[in-house]
Each structure stands twice: as structure tokens, then as C-alpha cells.
């Protein structure tokens, strides 16, 4: 453990230049006293390391010294692909591994590229979650991830609308979509997608998984998502929208639906425009569009308009009671 910490301390100094003992202690999650002892140990081992006092002081390596201890472990190499997703990496149990991998990469870069990489991290951040949506609990995510990394079968109890079912899966990959984790796995010789939050129990088995030849997780997910959208039940709706309130329609049905909307005729004299839109999952549409009123009014079909009126009346009745 200490040897690993000494290497990380050395790489931090190589990547960032002089750092105070306080900063190093925070990075390494140890006390300042421990940092000073580690510095003494490195110095005794022949590493040209020294400390400067004063406002601009700190612990430094002699100018020009570079260690060759930048080789990455397999775990760090895998974790590096998640380095832009600190939250998901932590959920997978890879938070500290990601940090160690980033230090090693930064130490291995030339000075100019290291500066550019630092600016990139400072200025860009990827947040995979969605607004107004709490992270759903995924208690078995780490177990599922272990099966994916190790290419081993996994036995799960999976919750469906009609109850829990037992499955033995051949995991091929994990996908994070808008803050939700999905497992892509083979079951009964078919590729399927499982929502990880619905897994109630999970046990990694000893049996190894043979990946299909040429399987590309990203390409398969893109095609699967497109097929899901193509096959989802749809309904055509005619709406009347105030032209300066298209954002209300977009909030209710999504940006893709608004982009593909068909304009019907010229605008009304009062600044409204009629559109024909195609929306997925007809049984959900009335509840989504009632929230967009009064800026968005449904004109057709009459059945959907009646459903929205019924929802609104039910809400009025509920809130009219003393």
C-alpha cells in the first residue's frame, strides 16, 4: 500500500510541479505528517526531491527529472474509458482506479500536452444524469460489472411487471443512458437488454462467456435503440401552439417530435400555429400534454382531447374538496 502511495506522490509532482504538503495530503487522503515521511523515504531512496519554504514554496522534483513508472495496470486502462464519468465510475467501484489512471496519463504526457489536458478537464465536464430525475438505486451494479469485466455468466432474479423471474445471462456490456444503467446480455441465444435497477439478486458464476465474433456494443446499442423507437406504438396529434411557446411542446413530447412536426397552414391572427406531430406510446400522451396547457391545445383526435379534459376535471374535483 505504501509503495503504491509513494509512486502516486512521485507522479503527482511530475505531472503538476511543486505542490504543498497540504495539497498532497488531500490528494493521497493521508495526513500531512505521512506525506512528509513519504518525502523523506523517496529522498533516502535517491529520488531528487526537495521542499521549499515561503508563499511560493512546496515539495518539488529537481528540474528535468522524470520517472518511468507510468505503466498502467489493466484495471486502470479499463477505468480510463470512464474517466469522463466520475459518478458512474464510482458506482462501478472504479473511483480510485480512475484517479490513479488519470495521474499516470498526465505524468506520461509531454509538458505542452499535459497543459492542454489540464485545461480540458477544467473546462469540460460530462454529466450523464437527467434533470429532475433522481438516480435510481442499483445495488447489484458492481456485481453485474464484475461479470462483464471477467466475461463470466451471471445468475439474476429479474423483476418484471408480471413478477420476478430467474435468468442465467451471458453479459456482453453495460450502457449508461440518461442516468439509467442497462445490461446487454445473451439469454437463450438471443441478445436482450435488462435494466440493472430491476435486478433483485445477482451471483457471478464460474462459467466463461464467449463473446459473439465481431460484436460491437456501441453499434448494437444504436441499432437496438433505433429499432425500439421504430417499433414503439405511435399516435398522430394535431396541436395548436403559441409560436413563442414551442418550448412547452418540446418539454411535453421531446425535441425529436418537435423537429419532425408538420406545419399546417398559416399562423392564426392571434399568434398561434397548428402542427401535426407523431408521438410514441399513445396511452401516455394525454398526461404529458395536459401539463403543456394553455400554451399547447390538442385539436385532434377527439378521443385524446376528451381524455385531457377528463384529466383536468379530475384534478379540479380533487382540489375543490375542502
Amino acid at each position: 500500500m505504501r509503495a503504491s502511495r509513494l509512486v502516486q506522490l512521485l507522479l503527482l509532482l511530475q505531472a503538476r510541479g511543486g505542490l504543498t504538503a497540504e495539497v498532497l495530503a488531500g490528494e493521497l487522503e493521508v495526513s500531512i505528517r505521512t506525506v512528509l515521511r513519504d518525502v523523506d523515504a523517496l529522498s533516502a531512496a535517491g529520488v531528487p526531491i526537495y521542499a521549499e519554504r515561503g508563499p511560493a514554496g512546496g515539495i518539488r522534483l529537481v528540474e528535468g527529472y522524470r520517472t518511468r513508472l507510468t505503466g498502467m495496470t489493466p484495471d486502470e486502462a479499463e477505468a480510463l474509458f470512464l474517466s469522463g464519468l466520475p459518478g458512474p465510475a464510482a458506482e462501478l467501484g472504479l473511483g480510485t482506479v480512475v484517479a490513479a489512471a488519470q495521474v499516470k496519463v498526465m505524468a506520461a504526457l509531454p509538458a505542452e500536452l499535459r497543459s492542454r489536458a489540464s485545461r480540458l478537464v477544467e473546462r469540460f465536464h460530462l454529466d450523464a444524469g437527467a434533470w429532475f430525475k433522481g438516480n435510481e438505486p442499483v445495488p447489484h451494479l458492481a456485481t453485474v460489472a464484475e461479470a462483464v469485466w471477467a466475461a463470466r455468466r451471471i445468475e439474476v432474479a429479474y423483476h418484471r411487471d408480471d413478477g420476478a423471474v430467474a435468468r442465467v445471462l451471458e453479459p456482453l456490456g453495460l450502457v449508461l443512458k440518461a442516468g439509467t444503467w442497462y445490461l446487454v446480455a445473451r439469454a437463450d441465444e438471443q441478445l436482450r437488454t435488462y435494466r440493472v435497477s430491476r435486478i433483485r439478486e445477482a451471483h457471478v458464476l464460474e462459467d466463461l462467456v464467449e463473446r459473439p465474433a465481431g460484436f460491437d456494443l456501441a453499434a448494437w446499442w444504436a441499432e437496438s435503440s433505433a429499432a425500439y423507437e421504430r417499433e414503439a406504438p405511435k399516435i398522430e396529434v394535431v396541436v395548436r401552439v403559441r409560436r413563442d411557446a414551442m418550448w412547452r411542446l418540446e418539454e411535453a413530447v421531446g425535441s425529436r417530435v418537435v423537429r419532425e412536426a408538420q406545419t399546417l397552414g398559416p399562423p392564426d391572427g392571434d399568434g398561434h400555429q397548428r402542427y401535426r406531430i407523431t408521438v410514441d406510446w399513445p396511452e401516455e400522451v394525454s398526461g404529458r400534454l395536459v401539463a403543456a396547457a394553455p400554451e399547447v391545445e390538442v385539436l385532434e383526435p377527439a378521443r385524446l382531447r376528451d381524455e385531457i379534459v377528463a384529466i383536468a376535471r379530475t384534478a379540479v374535483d380533487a382540489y375543490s374538496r375542502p
Side-chain angles (χ1 to χ4, degrees):
M1 179 66 180
R2 190 189 185 199
S4 174
R5 189 176 69 243
L6 292 174
V7 171
Q8 192 171 359
L9 188 155
L10 187 57
L11 293 174
L12 281 167
L13 293 177
Q14 180 173 301
R16 303 189 196 175
L19 295 173
T20 66
E22 183 178 5
V23 170
L24 286 169
E27 291 282 351
L28 300 173
E29 298 182 351
V30 297
S31 66
I32 293 177
R33 184 184 296 273
T34 298
V35 168
L36 297 177
R37 281 202 300 265
D38 287 349
V39 169
D40 288 341
L42 287 172
S43 179
V47 175
I49 187 172
Y50 65 99
E52 284 185 332
R53 296 183 180 276
I59 298 169
R60 303 175 184 277
L61 294 172
V62 170
E63 186 70 27
Y65 175 81
R66 293 186 65 80
T67 177
R68 297 181 182 274
L69 296 174
T70 54
M72 298 180 69
T73 68
D75 283 347
E76 290 168 347
E78 290 170 346
L80 187 61
F81 290 97
L82 292 169
S83 59
L85 302 171
E91 289 179 345
L92 290 171
L94 296 174
T96 56
V97 179
V98 166
Q102 289 174 328
V103 169
K104 288 190 176 183
V105 170
M106 289 293 287
L109 290 174
E112 180 184 354
L113 293 181
R114 187 160 67 241
S115 174
R116 292 173 61 184
S118 297
R119 289 199 300 272
L120 179 66
V121 172
E122 289 172 354
R123 290 163 173 77
F124 295 93
H125 171 68
L126 176 59
D127 182 357
W131 286 110
F132 312 118
K133 179 182 177 183
N135 291 331
E136 59 184 7
V138 279
H140 300 289
L141 178 60
T143 303
V144 173
E146 178 187 349
V148 171
W149 302 141
R152 294 187 181 277
R153 290 188 179 186
I154 185 170
E155 184 177 10
V156 302
Y158 190 75
H159 176 75
R160 301 191 312 192
D161 293 339
D162 57 353
V165 295
R167 289 281 186 272
V168 174
L169 307 177
E170 297 181 0
L172 299 176
L174 278 166
V175 176
L176 181 64
K177 170 74 171 178
T180 301
W181 287 99
Y182 296 93
L183 169 66
V184 177
R186 191 164 48 189
D188 301 326
E189 300 302 320
Q190 292 185 336
L191 286 177
R192 298 178 180 174
T193 301
Y194 298 86
R195 191 163 176 157
V196 179
S197 63
R198 293 193 172 190
I199 294 178
R200 298 294 183 257
E201 297 180 24
H203 305 283
V204 180
L205 306 178
E206 293 298 320
D207 304 333
L208 292 175
V209 173
E210 183 177 349
R211 294 179 69 82
F215 176 72
D216 184 321
L217 177 62
W220 184 88
W221 179 262
E223 173 55 32
S224 176
S225 300
Y228 174 80
E229 292 180 359
R230 287 195 303 269
E231 296 167 6
K234 296 175 172 55
I235 182 173
E236 282 196 350
V237 182
V238 176
V239 294
R240 182 172 177 265
V241 187
R242 207 176 64 217
R243 284 185 295 173
D244 63 349
M246 287 297 290
W247 62 273
R248 292 287 288 170
L249 180 62
E250 186 170 336
E251 276 192 342
V253 298
S255 57
R256 178 180 60 83
V257 172
V258 172
R259 284 198 306 271
E260 297 173 357
Q262 177 186 358
T263 304
L264 302 178
D268 296 345
D270 57 358
H272 287 73
Q273 176 68 60
R274 289 181 301 126
Y275 298 95
R276 177 176 285 110
I277 60 176
T278 303
V279 191
D280 298 338
W281 304 107
E283 67 274 13
E284 299 177 2
V285 174
S286 56
R288 289 153 65 183
L289 286 174
V290 71
E295 289 89 349
V296 178
E297 178 188 0
V298 172
L299 302 180
E300 301 174 13
R303 173 185 60 80
L304 178 60
R305 186 180 174 93
D306 291 342
E307 288 178 8
I308 292 175
V309 170
I311 292 173
R313 283 177 175 162
T314 300
V316 170
D317 292 342
Y319 283 95
S320 298
R321 291 194 292 267

